[in-house]
Amino acid sequence: MALGFSTFFNTTYLFPSNPTFVSHWSSPLAATQLSTLLWILIGEVWAFSSWLFEIETWSITKQTIAHCLCSYLGMTPLAILCGWFPLNVRWFGFYTLVYTGAYIGLWLIEMALARIKVIQLNQQLTNQRSSFIPIVDVKNGPPI
């Protein structure tokens, strides 16, 4: 991301975020140190929220809604602290729309891939059952 920001803003130095974010700190090194901490926290938000899919007593719908809310509520303040968008209603709404659209898009892709995997597994099970035909010995009964 730092390389992307530096390229996008056409800077001569590697910046960890947009120039406005970097200007709030005493040096690019201090901004990079804070950015590193924020990126670690972002990773922790996603690691924790992915754990919600491990709760086997919840339905996939409940897991997905909890994951979406947890990751949104964790990511939003971190995105603000990272300076990814100005803090006003218009940008907050735009961020929310982009986040929701990306989340729904990725969820739809993941559900389609899971559906394909289930179909493939069911076909394999069907093929295995149909290829196993027990031979019944009339004198001795069914095989054990």
Side-chain angles (χ1 to χ4, degrees):
M1 292 193 66
L3 184 60
F5 279 119
S6 298
T7 303
F8 180 78
F9 289 104
N10 198 25
T11 63
T12 56
Y13 296 97
L14 180 66
F15 284 122
S17 189
N18 66 55
T20 304
F21 175 84
V22 175
S23 71
H24 292 316
W25 308 104
S26 60
S27 69
L29 178 60
T32 301
Q33 291 168 333
L34 180 62
S35 291
T36 301
L37 175 64
L38 292 171
W39 295 337
I40 289 169
L41 291 173
I42 288 169
E44 291 299 318
V45 165
W46 289 103
F48 173 76
S49 63
S50 67
W51 167 79
L52 295 170
F53 285 110
E54 302 296 322
I55 302 174
E56 295 179 4
T57 56
W58 287 5
S59 69
I60 189 68
T61 303
K62 185 175 183 178
Q63 290 171 337
T64 301
I65 291 169
H67 179 268
C68 183
L69 289 174
C70 179
S71 56
Y72 177 81
L73 293 174
M75 273 299 299
T76 301
L78 292 173
I80 293 167
L81 288 173
C82 286
W84 290 351
F85 61 90
L87 191 54
N88 62 47
V89 174
R90 184 172 163 216
W91 275 99
F92 182 73
F94 178 71
Y95 164 81
T96 300
L97 284 174
V98 168
Y99 183 91
T100 305
Y103 193 94
I104 290 171
L106 290 171
W107 181 81
L108 289 170
I109 290 168
E110 286 296 321
M111 291 306 289
L113 292 173
R115 183 175 303 229
I116 290 168
K117 191 170 199 162
V118 167
I119 290 168
Q120 290 171 342
L121 288 171
N122 283 336
Q123 287 174 344
Q124 288 175 354
L125 288 172
T126 301
N127 291 342
Q128 287 177 355
R129 275 190 239 132
S130 65
S131 66
F132 178 73
I133 303 172
I135 299 173
V136 178
D137 185 348
V138 179
K139 293 181 184 177
N140 297 324
I144 296 177

